[in-house]
Amino acid sequence: MIGKDLGILLLILDWLGSLVPDLLLADPANELLAISIALSWVVAGLLTGSYQIDNLDRIHKIIIRSMLSAILYYGLIFLMIGLRTGAMVPAGESLLIFFATFLPLVLLKVFLHRLIRVLSQLYPSRKNAIIIGRTPRGKELSRHFLMTTSLPIQYLGYFSNTPATHEEDIPFYLGALKDVKEYCLEKDVKEIYYALDQQRQYFKELMDFADQHFIFLGIVPDMDGMDFSRRVDTMLYNDSRIPVIASRRVPLRLEQNQEMKRAFDVVFSAIVLLILSLTLFPFIALAIKLSSPGPIFFKQLRPGRNNKLFWCYKFRTMRVNNEDQKQATKNDSRITRIGAFLRKTSLDELPQFYNVLKGEMSVVGPRPNLVVHLQEYPKEIKEYSLRHWVTPGITGFAQVSGYRGETRETILMQKRVDHDLQYIENWSLGLDMKIIGKTVVNMVKGEKEAY
């Protein structure tokens, strides 16, 4: 939304340019000032929090935050103009410019707010959610879900071993606790909110079930004495005072984080593919064709987010064979000479930027293992499936930490899983940047375990 608002703002400023022809954007030679003015809107929006999700769900919040943002914005640009020219914009013209830009932007935001609200009701894309327990906190959360239509949640009802007796509860009573797992799989439930009192064994079973099926599990306290050895998140829904504890911290569960990461992936991958397709790719393709008969590219089914299979692309580094579900080993006879170089420098992975553009992969994330590993490792490593909470990546925290290549022993895969979970629980765009930087360094140096 920042981009849309900025575009409209600059159009209005251009229309009002005749009022202050030498002070705003009328001077085409003043590129630095124009860039500074554009960046000032972004800075003002960030400093006042006018584009945070929590400040876009109520009209009065939109108006207040937009007002603060506009005041800060015009303070910045009029200060820059004054420093540049030694003269300030007349007060009357300043007010005219302020209201001529502020009012259309607020009206635009309010219109989009109402439009999104209507569209979300006509074409709902919400996650199915249930509540377990009919405690006072559970009832309060249930009422909040039913009354707050702006949430991206489709509340289906609650489970309790005590059948519903009140008329208002009967339509939302879904069954006893023993029916929860079957119902979740049948209705594709994505979020569970646990509002029971002390039931340690059942809670542990539910936590394992949620982890295995990529279901968000939120705990609604009061739960005295419940011990969490893992890192968790706490949240409040909109203006409610209902605390919810997430049983596992997954920053990429939040839509704004997903959108931020996806935007970076698309821009970064498009640039990389554009540059490499005109420079490096033709030489790699020619070398592969000369090294051995067969196609230039190799594709293989790999498990992605939520275990959904996709075709993963690579430059072919082996002679054509029928052992596509067998890991490469040291001194593997299947690997060609050019293939060994491509693997050593990780250049064979570059076609996966196409997978990133398609949304099947991310630039950074847990590496997608072989399909056979889905049946093999979960039996020995309890947390193995948790790697697939997020979209797999071309590079990852485990890989830049030295855990790549053949996993001859289970402990090596366990270490890889541990690093993947650290990444999932501590994700940030800054962490992605660090991993990308370290990947580039490793590509230049070459890696011992890349074979």
Side-chain angles (χ1 to χ4, degrees), residues 4-162:
K4 294 179 181 178
D5 288 353
L6 182 58
I8 294 174
L9 178 71
L10 293 177
L11 286 174
I12 297 172
L13 286 176
D14 186 60
W15 169 60
L16 293 170
S18 58
L19 295 174
V20 280
D22 295 323
L23 299 180
L24 291 176
L25 300 179
D27 183 1
N30 195 0
E31 296 179 0
L32 180 59
L33 179 61
I35 294 173
S36 300
I37 288 174
L39 290 177
S40 294
W41 182 257
V42 178
V43 171
L46 293 175
L47 291 178
T48 58
S50 56
Y51 293 96
Q52 292 180 3
I53 298 298
D54 292 344
N55 294 323
L56 293 172
D57 62 343
R58 295 286 190 276
I59 290 179
H60 73 274
K61 289 184 180 181
I62 292 175
I63 295 174
I64 292 173
R65 294 290 175 169
S66 297
M67 173 72 79
L68 293 174
S69 184
I71 292 173
L72 179 57
Y73 170 69
Y74 282 107
L76 289 172
I77 65 170
F78 287 152
L79 177 61
M80 287 187 291
I81 290 171
L83 292 175
R84 174 180 176 271
T85 64
M88 298 303 294
V89 180
E93 295 177 356
S94 300
L95 288 174
L96 176 61
I97 296 171
F98 177 85
F99 285 108
T101 53
F102 167 70
L103 291 178
L105 289 177
V106 170
L107 291 174
L108 171 68
K109 287 184 177 182
V110 171
F111 170 74
L112 291 176
H113 175 272
R114 301 307 303 172
L115 179 62
I116 292 172
R117 180 72 63 87
V118 172
L119 291 176
S120 65
Q121 293 175 350
L122 293 176
Y123 306 100
S125 58
R126 299 176 180 177
K127 301 174 183 176
N128 289 338
I130 61 170
I131 295 175
I132 296 181
R134 203 58 178 161
T135 58
R137 280 294 192 186
K139 293 179 181 179
E140 189 178 352
L141 183 60
S142 175
R143 284 193 296 269
H144 183 68
F145 284 163
L146 292 172
M147 294 173 61
T148 311
T149 58
S150 60
L151 292 175
I153 287 176
Q154 180 65 47
Y155 174 58
L156 302 178
Y158 73 95
F159 286 84
S160 173
N161 284 336
T162 303

Side-chain angles (χ1 to χ4, degrees), residues 376-396:
E376 176 184 348
Y377 284 114
K379 299 175 184 177
E380 303 179 56
I381 303 174
K382 179 182 176 182
E383 301 87 0
Y384 179 81
S385 297
L386 299 181
R387 303 172 71 253
H388 302 131
W389 264 101
V390 299
T391 307
I394 296 177
T395 185

